[in-house]
Amino acid sequence: MKSIRLATAALAAIALTSPLALVAAAAEVPTSGDLSAGHAKKDTLRWVAPKGFYIGTAAAGGGHHESQPYPDPFTKDLEYRKVLAAEFSSVAAENQMKWEYIHPEQGRYNFGMADAIVDFARKNNQAVRGHTLLWHSQNPQWVEQGDFTPDELREILREHITTVVSRYKGDIQQWDVANEIFDDSGRLRTTDNIWIRELGPGIVADAFRWAHEADPKAKLFFNDYNVEGVNPKSNAYYTLIQDLLAQDVPVHGFSAQSHLSTRYGFPGDLETNLNRFADLGLETAITELDVRMDLPADGVPTAEMLAKQADYYQRTLSACLNVEGCNSFTIWGFTDKYSWVPVFFSGQGAATVMWNDFSRKPAYHALQCTLAKEAVERGEKHPHLPKCA
């Protein structure tokens, strides 16, 4: 493999790009987000993916982006939007549907950005994943510091879920209803999750019921990190979901975020874990995949590091493809330019499938070839499949 080097020393100090094509068959970045112009038939992820399989990404915006030295990515970066439209058949709001963003004050909603994402998806024939309705993090201060009775807090949550889900009824395919409700030991977050702490564990079932009432056709998911393998945390979800299903609570899916790191081994029992949830009659999904790495002093990953990252991406996708009902695969951002990883993990980064300039890493090609091969195995014919080993 060719060595990796940056276009300029300045870029090396600031951010990662790829001046060299790492794979000879790499296609040019699409120049338009208008799929009616034929860009769905280009050399992209969504074009080679099997029919009915959603390859998605988060739409960058809100959260940590608001403190970075660049304008809002989703609304201001035209090239970003072009790639977002051309490459992906599904989008999720990275932060724009979280409580602090969409419901910043009591009695006032901020739907502008969420509406824009849904409208963008509709125009580009993309599905939408809703993220998220009940979470311990990124709640507004008026919720966390409010002097509410349990009845008042319960009504606040019910009204929020009903309002948000109803607004996007028919437009959102899947909702992350309950996000990260267990700690890594498999215990409910009864301290830092205001909803569970103040209202009890039964509020989780109510959240699913309210979301289902607001949009009976949307698929409703539990979503968490560090649940890729069979471990105390995923076991806790397995037990809880069985209990909820026995009570006819409308739980439809279980999803693994899959924020992975090459510092650690790959979760080799991912497929086994997803299969046991599928055996309960649930859909499964990969919802927030990225693969971060410890960067060398010069900030430039070696060829070996990139190959290991590509392997993690490919194995995650293959696990999903091998599980019946795992039809939604979302990466948490597609370009290092807007990745959350360097902001939260010092010395780590290069976690996505594209460099800052939207050129493609080995991880991108690993995903593309895996999708293409799966499509062929399912008997689908494509006139423009990538060249894969």
Side-chain angles (χ1 to χ4, degrees):
M1 182 179 290
K2 295 180 181 179
S3 62
I4 307 302
R5 56 184 180 271
L6 294 177
T8 65
L11 283 176
I14 299 173
L16 298 172
T17 62
S18 71
L20 298 179
L22 296 175
V23 177
E28 294 297 322
V29 173
T31 57
S32 171
D34 181 5
L35 295 183
S36 64
H39 290 97
K41 296 184 179 181
K42 296 293 185 180
D43 182 17
T44 61
L45 295 174
R46 68 181 294 176
W47 175 244
V48 302
K51 293 178 181 178
F53 188 85
Y54 294 91
I55 179 74
T57 189
H64 75 277
H65 297 285
E66 295 181 339
S67 63
Q68 300 305 302
Y70 50 71
D72 176 70
F74 177 73
T75 58
K76 302 298 183 182
D77 190 332
L78 179 59
E79 191 68 14
Y80 174 87
R81 290 169 63 90
K82 293 174 182 176
V83 179
L84 175 63
E87 292 282 354
F88 301 98
S89 57
S90 174
V91 294
E94 185 178 13
N95 293 286
Q96 302 94 323
M97 291 185 183
K98 292 175 181 175
W99 264 82
E100 68 176 3
Y101 197 99
I102 205 168
H103 200 170
E105 298 176 7
Q106 189 171 11
R108 183 177 74 85
Y109 286 86
N110 174 24
F111 289 117
M113 285 299 297
D115 286 354
I117 291 170
V118 171
D119 183 62
F120 179 89
R122 187 184 301 114
K123 290 178 179 177
N124 290 287
N125 194 29
Q126 294 167 311
V128 182
R129 294 198 80 257
H131 178 75
T132 178
L133 299 174
L134 185 155
W135 191 24
H136 69 277
S137 184
Q138 289 185 248
N139 290 318
Q141 288 189 357
W142 72 266
V143 169
E144 291 286 350
Q145 299 179 9
D147 185 19
F148 301 111
T149 67
D151 286 344
E152 290 171 337
L153 194 61
R154 175 184 169 84
E155 177 57 22
I156 287 170
L157 180 61
R158 186 203 65 79
E159 190 274 337
H160 175 92
I161 291 175
T162 301
T163 299
V164 174
V165 177
S166 294
R167 184 177 185 87
Y168 302 111
K169 182 178 180 180
D171 287 320
I172 289 187
Q173 180 190 55
Q174 300 176 348
W175 270 106
D176 292 331
V177 175
N179 194 52
E180 301 173 7
I181 64 169
F182 289 105
D183 63 23
D184 284 343
S185 68
R187 291 190 294 263
L188 276 173
R189 293 181 180 271
T190 54
T191 300
D192 55 354
N193 188 312
I194 186 173
W195 312 111
I196 296 174
R197 183 183 70 237
E198 301 300 325
L199 303 176
I203 195 61
V204 174
D206 287 335
F208 277 89
R209 294 187 183 103
W210 294 330
H212 185 63
E213 290 171 0
D215 187 353
K217 293 185 178 180
K219 301 295 184 179
L220 308 181
F221 277 68
F222 281 101
N223 186 60
D224 213 324
Y225 64 94
N226 288 350
V227 294
E228 290 71 36
V230 178
N231 56 37
K233 196 175 192 179
S234 62
N235 286 340
Y237 277 105
Y238 187 72
T239 299
L240 173 62
I241 290 171
Q242 289 182 90
D243 291 343
L244 294 178
L245 292 176
Q247 301 172 45
D248 293 324
V249 177
V251 178
H252 306 127
F254 172 80
S255 54
Q257 293 178 10
S258 303
H259 294 293
L260 305 181
S261 170
T262 58
R263 179 184 295 183
Y264 311 108
F266 182 82
D269 54 352
L270 172 59
E271 184 177 330
T272 298
N273 190 40
L274 294 179
N275 264 319
R276 66 171 175 161
F277 286 95
D279 288 343
L280 296 178
L282 300 181
E283 293 185 12
T284 57
I286 302 298
T287 53
E288 302 181 24
L289 175 63
D290 47 34
V291 182
R292 64 188 184 272
M293 60 183 75
D294 295 284
L295 296 174
D298 63 359
V300 184
T302 65
E304 291 76 16
M305 295 169 70
L306 292 169
K308 185 174 183 179
Q309 178 187 59
D311 177 66
Y312 278 32
Y313 269 99
Q314 188 277 328
R315 292 171 71 182
T316 306
L317 176 57
S318 291
C320 178
L321 288 168
N322 289 340
V323 175
E324 185 176 359
C326 188
N327 297 319
S328 180
F329 184 90
T330 300
I331 58 178
W332 207 237
F334 57 88
T335 171
D336 291 342
K337 185 176 183 179
Y338 299 125
S339 173
W340 71 291
V341 169
V343 180
F344 293 90
F345 295 91
S346 178
Q348 300 182 61
T352 75
V353 301
M354 293 183 185
W355 303 98
N356 281 14
D357 61 0
F358 304 106
S359 56
R360 299 164 173 181
K361 298 181 186 177
Y364 175 96
H365 297 286
L367 292 183
Q368 189 184 53
C369 286
T370 301
L371 291 168
K373 290 177 180 178
E374 180 68 19
V376 171
E377 289 181 6
R378 296 185 184 186
E380 300 174 19
K381 295 182 180 180
H382 287 287
H384 302 295
L385 287 177
K387 296 179 180 179
C388 300

